[in-house]
Amino acid sequence: MKKFMLISAAALLVSTSAIAQTTVTTTTGAGHRATVQIEPEYRTKIRSYVTEHKIRPVETREKIVVGSPVPRDVELASVPSDWGPSLTKYRYVYSGNRVMLVDPETRMVVQEVD
């Protein structure tokens, strides 16, 4: 029981710290790591863009989540330049009231913009 509580506490600590981060590390190509920094003002711009342009969410059988590939039949949209220079190499998909940044080469979701 004690071991279970320690594991549960550690898992909660890890998940809580991951939610608070604004930096995402992704693996690209031959094991290289790239860090994506989204400043709070860009997060606001992203949310405003989706609302103002009335972006329709995509519907998929599987839930689109960070770390999973986006299905091939889902069209990826180009990231507007006003979302920040560090994000223009990514594409995005709007699913379930969330903007998901996607690596266009691997179609892997690298970050959820909440």
Side-chain angles (χ1 to χ4, degrees):
M1 182 68 167
K2 193 181 222 183
K3 186 176 181 180
F4 175 76
M5 293 196 57
L6 285 173
I7 292 171
S8 297
L12 180 61
L13 180 62
V14 168
S15 66
T16 303
S17 64
I19 292 170
Q21 293 179 350
T22 59
T23 305
V24 166
T25 303
T26 59
T27 302
T28 58
H32 299 291
R33 292 193 167 249
T35 302
V36 179
Q37 178 79 27
I38 303 178
E39 299 299 327
E41 67 268 15
Y42 289 124
R43 287 180 179 275
T44 302
K45 284 184 180 187
I46 293 168
R47 282 189 230 98
S48 296
Y49 180 89
V50 169
T51 303
E52 292 168 5
H53 290 87
K54 299 179 181 163
I55 305 297
R56 292 180 53 180
V58 298
E59 294 180 23
T60 59
R61 286 187 290 171
E62 306 88 24
K63 185 175 180 181
I64 297 175
V65 296
V66 174
S68 296
V70 175
R72 290 274 172 209
D73 61 333
V74 173
E75 185 176 346
L76 302 178
S78 296
V79 169
S81 61
D82 64 340
W83 286 14
S86 65
L87 302 182
T88 56
K89 69 179 184 176
Y90 296 99
R91 301 294 178 264
Y92 79 94
V93 64
Y94 183 56
S95 174
N97 293 323
R98 298 166 306 164
V99 175
M100 308 300 263
L101 291 177
V102 179
D103 181 332
E105 292 179 16
T106 63
R107 297 186 65 86
M108 195 69 64
V109 177
V110 296
Q111 185 169 16
E112 175 183 337
V113 182
D114 50 1

